[in-house]
Amino acid sequence: MTERSFPLPSQIEAVDGAEGWEAMYPYFTRFQPEDDQRFWFYNSMHFPEVVPAFDGLTSEIPYTAIGANTARLFSFPTTMGIEYRIVNGRVYITANPVLDEAEQGKRFADFQERAGHYYDNWDRLYGEWQQRIEALIAEIEAVEVPELGDLDPIEVVTSGRGFASNHFLRENFHRCIDLYSKMWHHHTEFLMLGYGAYVVFFEFCKQAFPEMGDQMVARMVAGMDVTMYRPDDELKKLAALAVDLDLSDLFVEGSDPAKVLAALGERGDAGARWLAALEAAKDPWFNVSVGDGFYHHHLSWADDLTVPFAALPRYVEQIAAGEDLTRPTERLAEERDRIADEYRALLDSDEEKGAFDQMLGLCRQVFPYIESHKFYCEHWFTTRFFQKIRAFGTLLADRGVLREADDVFHLRHVEVEDALADVMLAWASGGTELGARHWQPIVARRKQIVEALSGWSPPPALGAVPEALNDPAVKMLWGITQETVETWLGGEDDDESTVRGYAASPGVVEGVARVLLNVNDIGQIREGEVLVCPVTAPSWGPVFGKIAAAVSDIGGTMSHAAIVAREYGMPAVVGTGMATTRIKTGDRVRVDGDRGIVTVLS
């Protein structure tokens, strides 16, 4: 360790008005005295906001699954899992590396056998994964919150079922949590292997071609058709249908979705046909969160039509003008092959060329999963999961335990179980639930805590700075390198008008900035603006069609922001660390996606 350091976890001061925040999370999420000796970074990619009490599950369960797959199932040679802590409502993480070379060698032998089985049988196993995850989604969709009437239906008696309906309160709530855990194990089953294949190819390229930029490596696997883009494709179909049915006049930028739907209802058969097509597209393709699936309040398109209806006016206008809205997949595929051929020709031996071909082939084979899984896991399944938990909240509100359904998300999942037990007992005894006087003050206080914590600016990292920070996976996904840390520490001498990051997608454009700190405000983005945000989500694809460029605080060359930008052929700079603090909405900026530089012009 060097003497330079970010604030130590033990030095983080309490936030006024947020006293008692620790009770919102399990004891094992709190920083321990020994944690001062380790380096932690703020996982703003996945958790850019304060985490409400229930949503603490979206860090706890994913990290149990990620570590289990890397450390215990596939035996990755150089890493175990990820540890996380929460301070002032923000999630910090650190990886546990395997440093002993003998242990690395032992783990590598196991990794070759276990990961090799998946790589050798990827297509078959991926097909089976697809069936498993769709079955899991069907299971979460089938979960019901029982109705508790004066008497159970007579069929409960005549069928000889043997237990009353209040039993299902606990069983079905547990079912939701258990299915969410299983989903995350399936989520990371292929994901870490996919990233692993890319990291190996990336390291090979950087060694064989020292002058090659990170973006160039990434472009060799671009131009893939993945499921995560299907929701945007469905929107384009709806836009085309609006043009065909002469409904274009209803889709105007800034229109309220509810008013557009009402107007469509008054347009006779044409309006009815469009509305029917909308309903058909919603299931499953509108089950995409405006965030990345980690917060209950990042609603899906199905729950809030703001994002899709913000994109429709432009799509309608373009289709009416005869423009082709297909992504430049074919051009990107031709470009990736050209780049690969040019670099392959620079290799000296047939052995090196064979290794290059094998690694690149594997990357292209596994890459579709890296993006496609997000639709099924973080979006479709998680949308249904939060909807089911909200339904339990509705029951608790109807029974007087909570004031409103969404208050359930200000309770930890073990506390929700207590509240449900209160309902089970009251229904069984003919008494009254006691939860109102217990839970409602707790919920009210936690809302105040979340509000107070929202004003805290979390340090980008905590603890002493390591001598070297060059983990390829951390660099690839989060964009965190030694240079990033130097910038965080104030080592950069750029003036305030310059922001540097990763050159994620090529091209140079100028435009007016739109700084977006809350994902639910995404409908504010206007045509031709430069989006500046902490991190983007794959479900923002429709918005990518109307912006000139994207700039993010967090992310590496294989982050979702970078991948989506390349697939849409749009300049992007990611991993800037500070774009949202240096750039203001209305600033005119130049985004250089070739060099990774953003300049504030005026």
Side-chain angles (χ1 to χ4, degrees):
M1 291 288 186
T2 69
E3 294 182 359
R4 297 177 308 145
S5 177
F6 291 96
L8 301 179
S10 61
Q11 295 173 332
I12 297 298
E13 296 183 359
V15 175
D16 289 342
E19 294 80 7
W21 64 265
E22 295 89 348
M24 293 167 52
Y25 313 109
Y27 70 90
F28 50 79
T29 65
R30 298 171 200 158
F31 276 107
Q32 304 299 308
E34 58 270 23
D35 289 336
D36 278 358
Q37 307 305 312
R38 307 170 74 185
F39 177 75
W40 305 80
F41 68 89
Y42 173 35
N43 187 3
S44 59
M45 173 181 288
H46 298 115
F47 305 101
E49 305 173 27
V50 176
V51 178
F54 185 88
D55 297 2
L57 268 183
T58 68
S59 49
E60 174 188 326
I61 286 179
Y63 290 133
T64 65
I66 292 170
N69 274 293
T70 58
R72 309 301 179 185
L73 197 63
F74 291 107
S75 186
F76 277 59
T78 60
T79 186
M80 298 294 283
I82 293 174
E83 288 193 61
Y84 83 104
R85 303 285 189 266
I86 297 178
V87 61
N88 288 341
R90 309 297 180 130
V91 176
Y92 284 80
I93 62 175
T94 192
N96 285 329
V98 178
L99 301 177
D100 182 76
E101 292 186 2
E103 181 64 18
Q104 288 179 1
K106 178 184 175 183
R107 293 180 64 82
F108 181 68
D110 291 327
F111 177 79
Q112 283 186 305
E113 178 184 7
R114 293 163 180 247
H117 174 74
Y118 265 64
Y119 290 139
D120 292 342
N121 300 279
W122 188 272
D123 292 339
R124 175 179 64 80
L125 293 172
Y126 185 16
E128 294 171 357
W129 178 92
Q130 185 82 38
Q131 295 174 358
R132 289 199 303 274
I133 201 67
E134 290 184 5
L136 208 64
I137 292 168
E139 285 190 69
I140 192 72
E141 290 179 335
V143 171
E144 295 182 353
V145 178
E147 295 183 11
L148 301 179
D150 287 340
L151 287 175
D152 256 349
I154 186 64
E155 290 77 14
V156 176
V157 177
T158 57
S159 68
R161 190 174 74 185
F163 53 89
S165 294
N166 63 342
H167 163 81
F168 284 117
L169 276 182
R170 177 180 282 120
E171 179 178 305
N172 289 0
F173 179 72
H174 280 179
R175 187 73 180 143
C176 290
I177 305 301
D178 292 343
L179 289 171
Y180 185 69
S181 175
K182 188 177 289 185
M183 179 276 288
W184 267 99
H185 278 269
H186 287 319
H187 175 292
T188 57
E189 175 189 1
F190 282 79
L191 184 63
M192 305 315 292
L193 293 175
Y195 284 144
Y198 183 84
V199 167
V200 171
F201 179 62
F202 178 88
E203 292 292 284
F204 174 89
C205 288
K206 299 300 284 187
Q207 186 170 13
F209 316 109
E211 80 291 349
M212 177 185 278
D214 296 357
Q215 182 191 124
M216 199 63 69
V217 183
R219 286 164 67 182
M220 283 192 274
V221 295
M224 301 289 187
D225 186 23
V226 297
T227 308
M228 196 62 234
Y229 304 133
R230 179 69 181 274
D232 191 23
D233 293 339
E234 292 297 316
L235 275 188
K236 293 171 183 175
K237 292 178 184 177
L238 288 170
L241 183 61
V243 173
D244 291 342
L245 296 175
D246 197 24
L247 300 170
S248 302
D249 59 295
L250 298 180
F251 296 92
V252 180
E253 186 161 3
S255 297
D256 181 355
K259 293 180 179 178
V260 175
L261 293 176
L264 285 162
E266 297 174 357
R267 293 290 283 266
D269 180 63
R273 286 178 59 190
W274 195 92
L275 289 171
L278 172 65
E279 290 304 311
K282 278 184 178 180
D283 191 10
W285 305 114
F286 276 34
N287 290 307
V288 285
S289 164
V290 296
D292 212 8
F294 293 91
Y295 292 89
H296 74 273
H297 56 273
H298 291 173
L299 300 177
S300 72
W301 293 5
D303 297 316
D304 182 352
L305 292 169
T306 299
V307 171
F309 274 63
L312 279 170
R314 182 174 187 272
Y315 285 166
V316 168
E317 180 182 344
Q318 289 176 302
I319 291 172
E323 294 185 36
D324 182 7
L325 298 189
T326 56
R327 289 185 307 281
T329 304
E330 203 170 297
R331 176 179 61 79
L332 290 171
E334 292 174 356
E335 183 182 68
R336 79 175 183 226
D337 292 338
R338 175 187 59 78
I339 294 170
D341 289 344
E342 289 177 355
Y343 278 98
R344 184 182 187 277
L346 298 176
L347 295 170
D348 295 327
S349 67
D350 290 340
E351 183 179 355
E352 287 180 311
K353 291 177 180 178
F356 178 89
D357 293 342
Q358 184 180 31
M359 287 183 281
L360 177 58
L362 181 60
C363 280
R364 290 178 176 177
Q365 183 179 29
V366 305
F367 179 81
Y369 175 84
I370 291 176
E371 282 298 289
S372 292
H373 81 278
K374 292 190 71 65
F375 174 74
Y376 294 98
C377 297
E378 281 102 321
H379 294 276
W380 187 0
F381 181 97
T382 303
T383 290
R384 295 303 197 202
F385 171 71
F386 281 134
Q387 287 172 346
K388 295 299 179 181
I389 300 303
R390 190 171 283 110
F392 280 99
T394 298
L395 178 138
L396 290 170
D398 289 345
R399 304 288 300 193
V401 176
L402 301 176
R403 290 189 183 278
E404 55 189 26
D406 268 26
D407 285 352
V408 72
F409 295 110
H410 289 282
L411 302 181
R412 291 177 54 210
H413 71 96
V414 292
E415 296 172 332
V416 176
E417 184 175 337
D418 283 349
L420 292 173
D422 184 14
V423 173
M424 294 168 66
L425 286 165
W427 184 78
S429 68
T432 301
E433 289 86 351
L434 304 178
R437 68 185 65 164
H438 179 76
W439 294 119
Q440 289 182 18
I442 289 175
V443 168
R445 174 60 186 145
R446 287 181 180 176
K447 288 180 179 180
Q448 294 173 345
I449 289 173
V450 169
E451 182 66 25
L453 293 177
S454 297
W456 182 61
S457 296
L462 299 173
V465 179
E467 291 288 354
L469 186 67
N470 296 306
D471 186 308
V474 172
K475 176 181 179 181
M476 179 179 69
L477 297 177
W478 281 277
I480 297 174
T481 64
Q482 201 69 35
E483 291 74 20
T484 310
V485 171
E486 292 294 337
T487 301
W488 289 344
L489 287 168
E492 288 289 332
D493 58 3
D494 281 330
D495 59 45
E496 289 293 317
S497 66
T498 302
V499 176
R500 295 180 182 273
Y502 281 94
S505 184
V508 181
V509 299
E510 294 183 8
V512 175
R514 169 75 66 172
V515 180
L516 194 72
L517 299 177
N518 187 328
V519 297
N520 289 321
D521 294 335
I522 194 170
Q524 297 176 2
I525 296 174
R526 295 294 176 257
E527 181 79 24
E529 292 182 328
V530 172
L531 171 62
V532 181
C533 57
V535 63
T536 69
S539 55
W540 294 12
V543 174
F544 274 43
K546 67 193 296 188
I547 61 178
V551 180
S552 71
D553 287 341
I554 198 77
T557 52
M558 287 301 286
S559 65
H560 299 292
I563 292 170
V564 174
R566 287 192 293 270
E567 294 298 324
Y568 279 82
M570 179 191 68
V573 177
V574 301
T576 63
M578 58 183 64
T580 57
T581 57
R582 285 198 179 180
I583 301 171
K584 303 292 184 288
T585 293
D587 286 349
R588 186 162 187 82
V589 299
R590 180 189 299 119
V591 179
D592 187 337
D594 297 310
R595 296 192 299 154
I597 299 174
V598 184
T599 306
V600 179
L601 302 175
S602 62

